[in-house]
Amino acid sequence: MAVTPQTNTTLPEIAEALLKHDQFIICGHVSPDGDCLGSALGLAWALRQCGKQVTCVLARDEQPPADLMFLPGAAQLVPACRYEGPCECFVAVDVPTPERLGDGAALQEKAAFTVTIDHHAVPEAMSALSYTDPDSASTTLMIWELAKYLGAARGKLIATCCYTGLMTDTGRFQNQNADEHAFAAAAEMVAAGASPADIARAFYQNRTLASIELEGIAVAHMALSADGEAVLSWLSLADFEACGAVKADAEQLIDLLRSIKGVRVACLLREQAGEVRGSLRAKDDTDVAAIAREFGGGGHRAAAGLTIHEPLRAAVEAVAARLGIEDVKLPEARS
């Protein structure tokens, strides 16, 4: 099913509207990544420069990813379900639907005014003001521009948050979305104080031993299609327990699968409590978001995600069939 962006405003108009309010809640999607948290925190620093009261909340009651705790302001993130303050203006960033807001959806419903800033195309807008740009390499690119329209001095704090989202959503500037606009904005962020070396070191070169052990298990579970163009692997809850690993330890493993010579589409399935989360990546112009939508998920052409509410074994079988992978090692069936 094709989707079209739902935009009813512009970034300058959003800036004008935001400046009329004093108190803000900013929320991204469940299982936040670098673009999600970078967008939320970057916008928060910009609004605070304008004298606003801002709280960034997490969509679920869980710790932020450990590899993103270096972001300025990450330690002050509050789970949405524990937030008890006012909610004058609710801003959703990098999130296309209320379902992906998790516990933040209840705060959005209470808010007197709502805004969405995102780069995921969806058929329906969920906020009073909505600006979506599927051609943008990251949502932080839009936050970087919005900060300018707000009149904020775009210094090191905002630049670090926005560069992190841009770096991660372009796959270290290796994906198809790393266009001239992405590089031009990255240069501005670096000039404003973002340190590419420090940010890359904090995010990509700070892996835990558990993550390395988990990588070995993912390789052992890996299966390729007959033509070698698709690869699938999976991780069970037992795998995480055996390594003492947490969800963040698996985040970079999808890039390992995609790096295999000849692979065009890579998928990693990760068992969670009551569901299976899947990450899809494309090496060429294959639209993995279209594949994700077949399972109720979505995302971008080169990077997408899905959630399957079935046992891990059934999820592996279904995705393997879709990718044309026959010789796949299946998880043990549970009684």
Side-chain angles (χ1 to χ4, degrees):
M1 178 185 68
V3 292
T4 55
Q6 285 298 309
T7 295
N8 61 14
T9 188
T10 65
L11 287 178
E13 289 173 344
I14 286 180
E16 182 180 1
L18 294 180
L19 290 172
K20 295 177 181 178
H21 297 273
D22 296 314
Q23 187 273 331
F24 296 84
I25 298 296
I26 304 176
C27 185
H29 56 72
V30 296
S31 300
D33 56 12
D35 192 30
C36 176
L37 292 187
S39 296
L41 295 170
L43 178 57
W45 287 118
L47 288 169
R48 288 178 185 129
Q49 281 194 37
C50 301
K52 309 301 182 181
Q53 178 189 346
V54 188
T55 303
C56 291
V57 299
L58 293 164
R60 284 181 176 163
D61 189 3
E62 58 188 2
Q63 290 295 317
D67 53 10
L68 290 169
M69 288 305 294
F70 71 91
L71 287 172
Q76 285 71 53
L77 288 161
V78 178
C81 64
R82 298 186 189 181
Y83 178 78
E84 297 179 350
C87 192
E88 178 187 346
C89 181
F90 183 96
V91 184
V93 294
D94 197 43
V95 55
T97 63
E99 292 76 18
R100 293 285 287 158
L101 278 172
D103 297 329
L107 297 178
Q108 185 189 43
E109 291 180 1
K110 296 178 182 177
F113 187 68
T114 57
V115 174
T116 292
I117 305 165
D118 191 22
H119 68 153
H120 300 90
V122 291
E124 295 181 3
M126 66 173 179
S127 299
L129 289 184
S130 181
Y131 183 80
T132 62
D133 182 5
D135 293 326
S136 180
S138 70
T139 298
T140 57
L141 268 182
M142 290 181 275
I143 298 301
W144 182 248
E145 289 298 306
L146 178 60
K148 178 178 65 176
Y149 295 125
L150 287 169
R154 298 185 297 182
K156 183 175 181 178
L157 296 179
I158 299 173
T160 297
C161 294
C162 289
Y163 182 91
T164 299
L166 182 57
M167 176 191 72
T168 54
D169 254 30
T170 57
R172 294 182 251 192
F173 299 93
Q174 297 178 93
N175 295 346
Q176 296 93 320
N177 59 348
D179 55 21
E180 67 272 22
H181 303 294
F183 280 101
E188 293 179 353
M189 296 169 193
V190 172
S195 172
D198 290 344
I199 295 170
R201 187 181 302 114
F203 188 79
Y204 292 113
Q205 300 171 29
N206 200 25
R207 292 179 63 182
T208 64
L209 179 59
S211 175
I212 301 300
E213 294 174 345
L214 206 59
E215 180 176 302
I217 295 175
V219 171
H221 291 168
M222 184 178 69
L224 289 159
S225 59
D227 58 11
E229 294 185 351
V231 61
L232 171 67
S233 187
W234 52 268
L235 294 166
S236 68
L237 285 173
D239 294 329
F240 281 87
E241 292 170 2
C243 300
V246 296
K247 183 171 58 177
D249 290 320
E251 290 300 322
Q252 299 182 38
L253 301 185
I254 185 64
D255 294 322
L256 172 74
L257 299 178
R258 181 172 54 176
S259 70
I260 299 171
K261 183 178 180 180
V263 164
R264 297 173 59 229
V265 176
C267 181
L268 177 68
L269 297 177
R270 183 182 71 244
E271 184 180 26
Q272 297 182 178
E275 63 185 28
V276 177
R277 288 282 298 160
S279 298
L280 285 156
R281 297 292 185 271
K283 189 182 291 184
D284 56 12
D285 60 355
T286 302
D287 186 0
V288 293
I291 298 174
R293 285 195 292 271
E294 295 178 23
F295 294 91
H300 313 291
R301 289 185 63 88
L306 55 88
T307 301
I308 299 176
H309 299 283
E310 296 285 349
L312 179 60
R313 185 182 181 92
V316 172
E317 289 178 323
V319 175
R322 173 60 182 83
L323 297 179
I325 299 174
E326 298 180 357
D327 187 19
V328 61
K329 181 180 180 180
L330 295 172
E332 293 183 4
R334 295 180 182 175
S335 57

